[in-house]
PDB file of all heavy atoms in Angstrom:
ATOM      1  N   PRO I  66      16.258  33.893  25.508  1.00  0.00           N
ATOM      2  CA  PRO I  66      15.955  32.964  26.600  1.00  0.00           C
ATOM      3  C   PRO I  66      17.109  32.788  27.594  1.00  0.00           C
ATOM      4  O   PRO I  66      18.272  32.752  27.206  1.00  0.00           O
ATOM      5  CB  PRO I  66      15.697  31.629  25.889  1.00  0.00           C
ATOM      6  CG  PRO I  66      15.609  31.937  24.436  1.00  0.00           C
ATOM      7  CD  PRO I  66      16.333  33.224  24.212  1.00  0.00           C
ATOM      8  N   VAL I  67      16.735  32.654  28.856  1.00  0.00           N
ATOM      9  CA  VAL I  67      17.657  32.183  29.894  1.00  0.00           C
ATOM     10  C   VAL I  67      17.188  30.777  30.254  1.00  0.00           C
ATOM     11  O   VAL I  67      16.011  30.577  30.576  1.00  0.00           O
ATOM     12  CB  VAL I  67      17.623  33.073  31.149  1.00  0.00           C
ATOM     13  CG1 VAL I  67      18.584  32.534  32.213  1.00  0.00           C
ATOM     14  CG2 VAL I  67      17.971  34.499  30.798  1.00  0.00           C
ATOM     15  N   VAL I  68      18.097  29.807  30.172  1.00  0.00           N
ATOM     16  CA  VAL I  68      17.753  28.418  30.454  1.00  0.00           C
ATOM     17  C   VAL I  68      18.502  27.966  31.697  1.00  0.00           C
ATOM     18  O   VAL I  68      19.736  27.967  31.718  1.00  0.00           O
ATOM     19  CB  VAL I  68      18.101  27.498  29.263  1.00  0.00           C
ATOM     20  CG1 VAL I  68      17.732  26.054  29.576  1.00  0.00           C
ATOM     21  CG2 VAL I  68      17.393  27.977  27.994  1.00  0.00           C
ATOM     22  N   PHE I  69      17.751  27.596  32.737  1.00  0.00           N
ATOM     23  CA  PHE I  69      18.336  27.072  33.972  1.00  0.00           C
ATOM     24  C   PHE I  69      18.454  25.555  33.835  1.00  0.00           C
ATOM     25  O   PHE I  69      17.460  24.891  33.532  1.00  0.00           O
ATOM     26  CB  PHE I  69      17.456  27.436  35.165  1.00  0.00           C
ATOM     27  CG  PHE I  69      17.470  28.907  35.484  1.00  0.00           C
ATOM     28  CD1 PHE I  69      16.606  29.779  34.849  1.00  0.00           C
ATOM     29  CD2 PHE I  69      18.360  29.424  36.412  1.00  0.00           C
ATOM     30  CE1 PHE I  69      16.623  31.138  35.126  1.00  0.00           C
ATOM     31  CE2 PHE I  69      18.386  30.780  36.711  1.00  0.00           C
ATOM     32  CZ  PHE I  69      17.519  31.634  36.066  1.00  0.00           C
ATOM     33  N   VAL I  70      19.653  25.024  34.060  1.00  0.00           N
ATOM     34  CA  VAL I  70      19.931  23.604  33.848  1.00  0.00           C
ATOM     35  C   VAL I  70      20.336  22.984  35.187  1.00  0.00           C
ATOM     36  O   VAL I  70      21.322  23.404  35.798  1.00  0.00           O
ATOM     37  CB  VAL I  70      21.071  23.415  32.822  1.00  0.00           C
ATOM     38  CG1 VAL I  70      21.306  21.937  32.549  1.00  0.00           C
ATOM     39  CG2 VAL I  70      20.769  24.172  31.527  1.00  0.00           C
ATOM     40  N   ASP I  71      19.580  21.976  35.623  1.00  0.00           N
ATOM     41  CA  ASP I  71      19.880  21.324  36.894  1.00  0.00           C
ATOM     42  C   ASP I  71      20.785  20.120  36.668  1.00  0.00           C
ATOM     43  O   ASP I  71      20.344  19.090  36.162  1.00  0.00           O
ATOM     44  CB  ASP I  71      18.581  20.899  37.586  1.00  0.00           C
ATOM     45  CG  ASP I  71      18.824  20.489  39.038  1.00  0.00           C
ATOM     46  OD1 ASP I  71      20.005  20.260  39.403  1.00  0.00           O
ATOM     47  OD2 ASP I  71      17.844  20.392  39.797  1.00  0.00           O
ATOM     48  N   GLU I  72      22.070  20.240  37.036  1.00  0.00           N
ATOM     49  CA  GLU I  72      23.008  19.126  36.946  1.00  0.00           C
ATOM     50  C   GLU I  72      23.289  18.545  38.332  1.00  0.00           C
ATOM     51  O   GLU I  72      24.266  17.839  38.553  1.00  0.00           O
ATOM     52  CB  GLU I  72      24.307  19.574  36.265  1.00  0.00           C
ATOM     53  CG  GLU I  72      24.086  19.988  34.819  1.00  0.00           C
ATOM     54  CD  GLU I  72      25.380  20.133  34.008  1.00  0.00           C
ATOM     55  OE1 GLU I  72      26.368  19.421  34.297  1.00  0.00           O
ATOM     56  OE2 GLU I  72      25.397  20.963  33.106  1.00  0.00           O
ATOM     57  N   ASP I  73      22.405  18.847  39.255  1.00  0.00           N
ATOM     58  CA  ASP I  73      22.465  18.339  40.627  1.00  0.00           C
ATOM     59  C   ASP I  73      21.552  17.111  40.713  1.00  0.00           C
ATOM     60  O   ASP I  73      20.658  16.930  39.886  1.00  0.00           O
ATOM     61  CB  ASP I  73      21.944  19.452  41.552  1.00  0.00           C
ATOM     62  CG  ASP I  73      22.046  19.111  43.032  1.00  0.00           C
ATOM     63  OD1 ASP I  73      22.620  18.057  43.383  1.00  0.00           O
ATOM     64  OD2 ASP I  73      21.538  19.917  43.836  1.00  0.00           O
ATOM     65  N   THR I  74      21.771  16.278  41.738  1.00  0.00           N
ATOM     66  CA  THR I  74      20.833  15.176  41.971  1.00  0.00           C
ATOM     67  C   THR I  74      19.533  15.687  42.588  1.00  0.00           C
ATOM     68  O   THR I  74      18.506  15.031  42.514  1.00  0.00           O
ATOM     69  CB  THR I  74      21.451  14.124  42.912  1.00  0.00           C
ATOM     70  OG1 THR I  74      21.935  14.801  44.077  1.00  0.00           O
ATOM     71  CG2 THR I  74      22.597  13.386  42.235  1.00  0.00           C
ATOM     72  N   GLY I  75      19.590  16.861  43.206  1.00  0.00           N
ATOM     73  CA  GLY I  75      18.416  17.406  43.887  1.00  0.00           C
ATOM     74  C   GLY I  75      17.687  18.460  43.072  1.00  0.00           C
ATOM     75  O   GLY I  75      18.193  18.973  42.072  1.00  0.00           O
ATOM     76  N   ALA I  76      16.488  18.791  43.530  1.00  0.00           N
ATOM     77  CA  ALA I  76      15.653  19.788  42.860  1.00  0.00           C
ATOM     78  C   ALA I  76      15.969  21.194  43.367  1.00  0.00           C
ATOM     79  O   ALA I  76      16.469  21.366  44.492  1.00  0.00           O
ATOM     80  CB  ALA I  76      14.183  19.477  43.102  1.00  0.00           C
ATOM     81  N   HIS I  77      15.674  22.178  42.530  1.00  0.00           N
ATOM     82  CA  HIS I  77      15.823  23.588  42.912  1.00  0.00           C
ATOM     83  C   HIS I  77      14.627  24.379  42.400  1.00  0.00           C
ATOM     84  O   HIS I  77      13.965  23.971  41.449  1.00  0.00           O
ATOM     85  CB  HIS I  77      17.107  24.180  42.326  1.00  0.00           C
ATOM     86  CG  HIS I  77      18.349  23.508  42.804  1.00  0.00           C
ATOM     87  ND1 HIS I  77      18.923  23.779  44.022  1.00  0.00           N
ATOM     88  CD2 HIS I  77      19.115  22.543  42.239  1.00  0.00           C
ATOM     89  CE1 HIS I  77      19.994  23.027  44.185  1.00  0.00           C
ATOM     90  NE2 HIS I  77      20.141  22.257  43.110  1.00  0.00           N
ATOM     91  N   THR I  78      14.391  25.510  43.018  1.00  0.00           N
ATOM     92  CA  THR I  78      13.393  26.442  42.487  1.00  0.00           C
ATOM     93  C   THR I  78      14.116  27.703  42.019  1.00  0.00           C
ATOM     94  O   THR I  78      15.236  27.999  42.461  1.00  0.00           O
ATOM     95  CB  THR I  78      12.331  26.820  43.535  1.00  0.00           C
ATOM     96  OG1 THR I  78      12.948  27.573  44.580  1.00  0.00           O
ATOM     97  CG2 THR I  78      11.658  25.581  44.121  1.00  0.00           C
ATOM     98  N   ILE I  79      13.465  28.416  41.131  1.00  0.00           N
ATOM     99  CA  ILE I  79      14.011  29.673  40.603  1.00  0.00           C
ATOM    100  C   ILE I  79      12.863  30.683  40.664  1.00  0.00           C
ATOM    101  O   ILE I  79      11.923  30.608  39.876  1.00  0.00           O
ATOM    102  CB  ILE I  79      14.513  29.498  39.160  1.00  0.00           C
ATOM    103  CG1 ILE I  79      15.584  28.410  39.091  1.00  0.00           C
ATOM    104  CG2 ILE I  79      15.060  30.818  38.618  1.00  0.00           C
ATOM    105  CD1 ILE I  79      15.256  27.296  38.142  1.00  0.00           C
ATOM    106  N   ILE I  80      12.939  31.584  41.640  1.00  0.00           N
ATOM    107  CA  ILE I  80      11.803  32.471  41.912  1.00  0.00           C
ATOM    108  C   ILE I  80      12.269  33.925  41.916  1.00  0.00           C
ATOM    109  O   ILE I  80      13.169  34.303  42.673  1.00  0.00           O
ATOM    110  CB  ILE I  80      11.163  32.123  43.269  1.00  0.00           C
ATOM    111  CG1 ILE I  80      10.695  30.657  43.258  1.00  0.00           C
ATOM    112  CG2 ILE I  80      10.002  33.066  43.587  1.00  0.00           C
ATOM    113  CD1 ILE I  80      10.249  30.156  44.615  1.00  0.00           C
ATOM    114  N   GLY I  81      11.647  34.719  41.074  1.00  0.00           N
ATOM    115  CA  GLY I  81      11.979  36.131  41.010  1.00  0.00           C
ATOM    116  C   GLY I  81      11.484  36.869  42.243  1.00  0.00           C
ATOM    117  O   GLY I  81      10.456  36.506  42.834  1.00  0.00           O
ATOM    118  N   TYR I  82      12.215  37.917  42.664  1.00  0.00           N
ATOM    119  CA  TYR I  82      11.769  38.740  43.786  1.00  0.00           C
ATOM    120  C   TYR I  82      12.207  40.179  43.567  1.00  0.00           C
ATOM    121  O   TYR I  82      13.145  40.461  42.816  1.00  0.00           O
ATOM    122  CB  TYR I  82      12.302  38.200  45.116  1.00  0.00           C
ATOM    123  CG  TYR I  82      13.785  38.400  45.313  1.00  0.00           C
ATOM    124  CD1 TYR I  82      14.280  39.517  45.986  1.00  0.00           C
ATOM    125  CD2 TYR I  82      14.693  37.473  44.819  1.00  0.00           C
ATOM    126  CE1 TYR I  82      15.640  39.711  46.170  1.00  0.00           C
ATOM    127  CE2 TYR I  82      16.055  37.666  44.980  1.00  0.00           C
ATOM    128  CZ  TYR I  82      16.521  38.782  45.657  1.00  0.00           C
ATOM    129  OH  TYR I  82      17.864  38.972  45.808  1.00  0.00           O
ATOM    130  N   ASN I  83      11.540  41.066  44.254  1.00  0.00           N
ATOM    131  CA  ASN I  83      11.856  42.491  44.178  1.00  0.00           C
ATOM    132  C   ASN I  83      12.579  42.898  45.465  1.00  0.00           C
ATOM    133  O   ASN I  83      11.977  42.858  46.543  1.00  0.00           O
ATOM    134  CB  ASN I  83      10.546  43.284  44.019  1.00  0.00           C
ATOM    135  CG  ASN I  83      10.791  44.768  43.870  1.00  0.00           C
ATOM    136  OD1 ASN I  83      11.795  45.297  44.345  1.00  0.00           O
ATOM    137  ND2 ASN I  83       9.870  45.442  43.203  1.00  0.00           N
ATOM    138  N   PRO I  84      13.861  43.270  45.384  1.00  0.00           N
ATOM    139  CA  PRO I  84      14.617  43.601  46.607  1.00  0.00           C
ATOM    140  C   PRO I  84      14.034  44.799  47.351  1.00  0.00           C
ATOM    141  O   PRO I  84      14.208  44.920  48.559  1.00  0.00           O
ATOM    142  CB  PRO I  84      16.022  43.938  46.096  1.00  0.00           C
ATOM    143  CG  PRO I  84      16.068  43.493  44.689  1.00  0.00           C
ATOM    144  CD  PRO I  84      14.671  43.432  44.173  1.00  0.00           C
TER     145      PRO I  84
END
Side-chain angles (χ1 to χ4, degrees):
V67 179
V68 180
F69 291 86
V70 183
D71 192 345
E72 296 193 30
D73 184 6
T74 52
H77 298 280
T78 66
I79 302 123
I80 301 171
Y82 71 94
N83 183 333

